[in-house]
Amino acid sequence: MTEPLLTEIDHVAIAVRDMDAAIEWYAQTLGARVAHRELVEHDGVEEALLAVGESYVQLVSPTRESSAVATFLATRGEGLHHVAYRVADCAEALEAVRRAGSRVVDEAPRRGSRGTMIAFVHPKSSFGTLVELVQEGLADGKVGAPPQ
Ligand code: CO
């Protein structure tokens, strides 16, 4: 066994084809409002974060065909894309995952939206669901994360 690495669910990401339609559905049907919207050029995606308590639902939509999310939509359709967990230290958590023998997508933490540091664990290791490790509040984009 290992010490608990995950402090909270940061976001659950849902891949959608029509961002505006999805935002509208969450607002009209579930009363969930957009707290943050961002183009993440590096990943070729647009993100909309809907606040749910201290966590988010993240709607994610590709901005170019070469985006991994475009491939995901083409092969698997709309739906759950990844689950993101908050960790105290992304680099340490990533290293612990590798030490435990699991495959990772990112060899080192990189910048996510909202000034976070992120790294992905390979879904082949994590039972079919892409797992993201999120360290909040490293830059100015701190939103909704409780103090560590
Ligand atoms: Co994410």
Side-chain angles (χ1 to χ4, degrees):
M1 289 300 288
T2 185
E3 289 298 305
L5 293 171
L6 315 178
T7 59
E8 279 162 304
I9 291 177
D10 187 78
H11 60 270
V12 173
I14 314 285
V16 301
R17 291 198 174 90
D18 186 336
M19 177 64 85
D20 291 330
I23 287 172
E24 180 75 2
W25 185 85
Y26 270 89
Q28 293 300 318
T29 310
L30 299 175
R33 308 272 178 241
V34 174
H36 182 80
R37 211 165 160 170
E38 186 169 333
L39 279 172
V40 184
E41 277 304 324
H42 175 271
D43 291 327
V45 296
E46 180 182 15
E47 297 180 2
L49 290 166
L50 315 180
V52 181
E54 298 291 321
S55 304
Y56 302 99
V57 170
Q58 179 189 76
L59 303 174
V60 59
S61 195
T63 57
R64 57 172 185 257
E65 277 309 305
S66 58
S67 163
V69 174
T71 306
F72 180 93
L73 284 170
T75 55
R76 296 175 65 169
E78 294 179 302
L80 179 66
H81 185 264
H82 63 271
V83 179
Y85 301 97
R86 291 185 189 131
V87 296
D89 185 315
C90 191
E92 266 179 30
L94 184 64
E95 186 50 37
V97 167
R98 296 173 69 166
R99 260 202 321 272
S102 289
R103 283 176 65 184
V104 295
V105 174
D106 297 299
E107 294 299 322
R110 59 188 175 87
R111 211 161 252 292
S113 61
R114 293 174 298 134
T116 57
M117 290 301 283
I118 65 163
F120 283 95
V121 177
H122 200 284
K124 282 257 180 345
S125 284
S126 49
F127 298 87
T129 300
L130 184 61
V131 166
E132 179 181 7
L133 307 169
V134 179
Q135 182 178 354
E136 295 264 2
L138 286 194
D140 54 357
K142 189 171 164 67
V143 179
Q148 295 287 325

